[in-house]
Amino acid sequence: MARIHVTVSLSVLLAVAGLQSACVHCYVTGVGEEEGPVVTTRYGKIQGLYADNATLFLGVPFAAPPVGSLRWEAPQDSKSWGENVYNATTYKPACPQFHCETLSPPLVCHKKMAEDCLYLDIYGPRLTSASGLPVMVMIHGGNFVHMSGSSPIFDGRYLASSREIILVNINYRMGALGFLVTGETTNDARGNYGIQDQVMALKWVQENIHAFGGDPSKVTLFGQSAGAQSTLIHLTLPESAPYFRNAIVESSPIAIPYKRFPEAIILGGLFAELVGCQPRNMNCLRSKSANEITYAQYLARSKVSSLKLLEFFEPWGPFVDGQFIKAEPLALIREGQFSRKPLIIGTTSEETVLYVYSAWNTSVNNVLYGEVIVATYPGHAVEIIYMYPPSYPRDERDTMVKMSTDLVFLCPTRNATRIMRASGVSDVWMYVWDHAFSFQGWGPITFCEGRVCHGSEIVFLFHTEAKGNFTFTPEEKVLSEEIMDFWTNFAKTGDPNNPGRNSTGNKSGRSATALQWPVYAQDGDWPAFRFKTPASIIDTNYHGPYCDFWDTIGYAA
């Protein structure tokens, strides 16, 4: 059987990635733009701008540029700019990445890239004297190799202004620049720099967000895909615990195993060879340009081959170093090593359509389907095939989608939630996003049209459909307001159902949903809020028998 090479990023092909517009460079629309407030941080004064009923501070440095001798080093504190006023009125470049624009439609990708990329963007309501507002810090997805907090799809001006919250979108080093491992000495690249960048950004928010009207004691950390994985990591990191109060986890592939040291070294050696250096020759590696680095990391990931299903997802990313990251989040959650914080967690209903149809771009017959199962779970192949029997003799990819969505996303999410609930986390809310776009929003990714692919909720959460010249149906407008209400209510009060006694609600003219979202119960059925049209519902046992099966089998191949 031929080996399968996967080069397509799971998250870079988001539902929102399909947004296409003639205005691909229009990161700030120009509508209502004018000089905004000047605030004072511990580093100096910062000039913002007003746009579209929101206050924006764009491209704010939260760490020193990770260039030169600071490449493959832990992030360093940013320096003060003294008496000067820092101009925060334009977006800064995204962290280096290879051909994001050729692998996904344009609005997912920032048009400019640079290794000096440790910046964040702050969105707030257009209030000159607002203070004590809840803060939401977003970690973007992109398979740890693509995208940016400044990607237009994450434009936060509507979310922040309509709900009166402060939104902070952060960048972090990705790919080889963020996760290369060459050895264990102080002279080596030791990986996990991207996660350390995120910790630095969270620390910056704690120390400075009050200047922008935010309350540092009311920080909600959230992210989708790789950002959701990162959020779970921070729930298990003692270093991160003081920096946020609540967490929202959107579509984390929880069952994906992280690399251990031998696997990380193999990838690092392959990368060094491809960039033209000897393994562990840090002088040579630091002499290479960011373009050379990202091209070599792309070639290295394209050479990662395996028949194990879970190893296809993430060639670059966090690795278990035994010190900073001691294990995968699911393993640490099982051991009780996590912060007990209020949590919203969930998935889409067809997470792996992107993965399966990208990995197998032609039909998969039932024989090949069986071979993949045997290669992935040899000890339980018969049981898995019995649970997910071949149903389409000419093409079993949809069967693979059902199986892998349950295995990688949905069921380990339920498993982690049950463990947290049993370990004393009483405030946990689960959801399933079960709505496909009404519009042609996937661009060249035609196999996601009409499907609830990975990332389908993002355009609704940020209400950025207009950036792709798309129009929500009346039902989709309600759905968008619904998810915005729940997420921001949670940020304000720790309860998605409660907007707060003194809250102004939203300014959209629509009241919050009348449907109450029950907390997850420790025993019995598990209630999930199922976001869908024509109306959302509470599903009391979504995929229950399948998740019971995987809980018995286990999530490690």
Side-chain angles (χ1 to χ4, degrees):
M1 175 179 165
R3 290 188 173 186
I4 300 161
H5 299 266
V6 178
T7 64
V8 179
S9 163
L10 182 64
S11 289
V12 80
L13 303 177
L14 298 174
V16 295
L19 300 180
Q20 299 180 67
S21 169
C23 190
V24 295
H25 296 288
C26 299
Y27 298 125
V28 176
T29 66
V31 178
E33 283 184 34
E34 60 183 274
E35 186 174 279
V38 175
V39 303
T40 302
T41 71
R42 59 171 292 204
Y43 301 95
K45 294 181 178 180
I46 299 180
Q47 172 75 62
L49 77 156
Y50 294 124
D52 296 330
N53 298 316
T55 307
L56 285 63
F57 295 87
L58 307 174
V60 179
F62 66 84
V67 300
S69 63
L70 293 184
R71 179 188 280 181
W72 294 307
E73 294 290 343
Q76 305 296 308
D77 199 12
S78 181
K79 294 182 179 180
S80 169
W81 43 85
E83 296 301 315
N84 297 321
V85 178
Y86 183 88
N87 186 342
T89 60
T90 58
Y91 291 105
K92 293 293 187 180
C95 291
Q97 47 201 279
F98 179 75
H99 276 196
C100 177
E101 71 281 359
T102 65
L103 296 174
S104 59
L107 286 185
V108 164
C109 305
H110 199 296
K111 286 299 181 183
K112 295 181 180 179
M113 293 173 287
E115 197 169 352
D116 177 6
C117 64
L118 297 186
Y119 297 90
L120 51 81
D121 303 320
I122 303 171
Y123 303 87
R126 187 167 176 157
L127 300 173
T128 58
S129 60
S131 63
L133 295 178
V135 181
M136 299 184 71
V137 178
M138 188 207 71
I139 305 176
H140 70 81
N143 207 214
F144 292 109
V145 294
H146 282 130
M147 301 182 69
S148 165
S150 299
S151 294
I153 200 63
F154 300 126
D155 189 307
R157 69 190 74 182
Y158 182 85
L159 180 65
S161 63
S162 67
R163 275 22 183 219
E164 295 193 356
I165 57 103
I166 303 296
L167 174 68
V168 183
N169 294 350
I170 69 173
N171 283 345
Y172 54 94
R173 284 173 283 180
M174 300 180 293
L177 289 169
F179 297 97
L180 176 67
V181 177
T182 64
E184 296 180 294
T185 72
T186 56
N187 294 323
D188 282 302
R190 288 168 287 172
N192 293 326
Y193 301 111
I195 305 300
Q196 294 177 55
D197 294 342
Q198 296 169 11
V199 176
M200 178 71 85
L202 287 169
K203 181 174 180 287
W204 188 97
V205 169
Q206 278 294 304
E207 295 175 345
N208 295 278
I209 203 62
H210 64 279
F212 302 87
D215 185 341
S217 70
K218 296 179 180 178
V219 174
T220 296
L221 180 63
F222 76 111
Q224 187 269 344
S225 193
Q229 286 179 271
S230 300
T231 300
L232 281 174
I233 287 173
H234 293 298
L235 276 170
T236 66
L237 278 180
E239 295 92 333
S240 303
Y243 299 145
F244 63 103
R245 179 179 71 167
N246 306 331
I248 303 174
V249 177
E250 301 177 38
S251 297
S252 174
I254 298 180
I256 289 183
Y258 294 168
K259 287 179 172 58
R260 267 55 181 176
F261 184 73
E263 299 162 321
I265 282 290
I266 290 172
L267 180 61
L270 176 60
F271 163 79
E273 178 184 341
L274 290 168
V275 82
C277 295
Q278 292 294 316
R280 304 187 71 180
N281 187 336
M282 297 307 297
N283 289 333
C284 178
L285 291 171
R286 286 196 172 95
S287 73
K288 301 300 179 179
S289 69
N291 287 340
E292 290 173 306
I293 294 291
T294 55
Y295 181 59
Q297 90 186 19
Y298 171 78
L299 294 178
R301 63 186 270 113
S302 70
K303 292 179 180 293
V304 175
S305 301
S306 173
L307 291 180
K308 288 189 175 181
L309 190 67
L310 301 188
E311 293 181 6
F312 286 150
F313 278 84
E314 210 165 76
W316 294 99
F319 100 102
V320 176
D321 57 19
Q323 298 178 354
F324 183 62
I325 295 181
K326 296 181 181 179
E328 290 86 353
L330 184 56
L332 293 174
I333 289 168
R334 287 172 177 161
E335 295 173 5
Q337 298 183 38
F338 67 95
S339 297
R340 275 69 173 171
K341 299 177 185 289
L343 179 69
I344 290 176
I345 187 168
T347 67
T348 70
S349 58
E350 296 184 287
E351 294 279 12
T352 60
V353 170
L354 280 170
Y355 155 66
V356 170
Y357 279 79
S358 297
W360 288 275
N361 55 16
T362 59
S363 61
V364 174
N365 62 34
N366 50 21
V367 174
L368 179 55
Y369 169 67
E371 290 177 353
V372 171
I373 300 301
V374 170
T376 304
Y377 265 82
H380 299 286
V382 173
E383 300 159 88
I384 294 171
I385 292 173
Y386 179 83
M387 199 69 184
Y388 299 89
S391 303
Y392 312 95
R394 295 183 180 179
D395 192 354
E396 295 294 345
R397 285 180 292 180
D398 279 355
T399 307
M400 296 172 72
V401 167
K402 294 175 184 177
M403 186 272 291
S404 56
T405 293
D406 286 350
L407 167 60
V408 178
F409 289 91
L410 175 67
C411 296
T413 293
R414 190 192 78 159
N415 183 264
T417 304
R418 287 188 164 184
I419 295 169
M420 290 187 214
R421 185 66 180 82
S423 299
V425 181
S426 58
D427 299 329
V428 182
W429 290 266
M430 287 197 65
Y431 74 90
V432 176
W433 184 271
D434 196 21
H435 174 75
F437 296 166
S438 68
F439 42 87
Q440 299 292 306
W442 286 95
I445 313 168
T446 56
F447 49 75
C448 273
E449 296 294 351
R451 308 292 293 265
V452 190
C453 280
H454 187 67
S456 292
E457 81 281 7
I458 294 177
V459 68
F460 295 90
L461 174 58
F462 288 89
H463 207 295
T464 43
E465 78 287 353
K467 288 189 171 293
N469 289 330
F470 299 128
T471 302
F472 285 159
T473 66
E475 291 175 345
E476 287 177 322
K477 289 180 180 178
V478 171
L479 196 64
S480 178
E481 300 293 343
E482 194 168 53
I483 188 172
M484 285 190 289
D485 282 348
F486 278 136
W487 265 228
T488 57
N489 287 350
F490 182 68
K492 293 172 182 178
T493 66
D495 182 344
N497 302 292
N498 181 11
R501 180 174 301 174
N502 299 319
S503 173
T504 58
N506 68 66
K507 297 179 180 178
S508 64
R510 190 187 81 73
S511 61
T513 179
L515 187 62
Q516 288 290 301
W517 185 353
V519 295
Y520 183 84
Q522 184 171 343
D523 301 312
D525 292 339
W526 59 296
F529 195 96
R530 196 165 165 191
F531 290 93
K532 62 193 299 289
T533 56
S536 298
I537 63 172
I538 303 299
D539 197 317
T540 58
N541 198 25
Y542 184 78
H543 280 218
Y546 297 97
C547 292
D548 291 343
F549 168 77
W550 286 112
D551 285 352
T552 302
I553 295 296
Y555 297 97

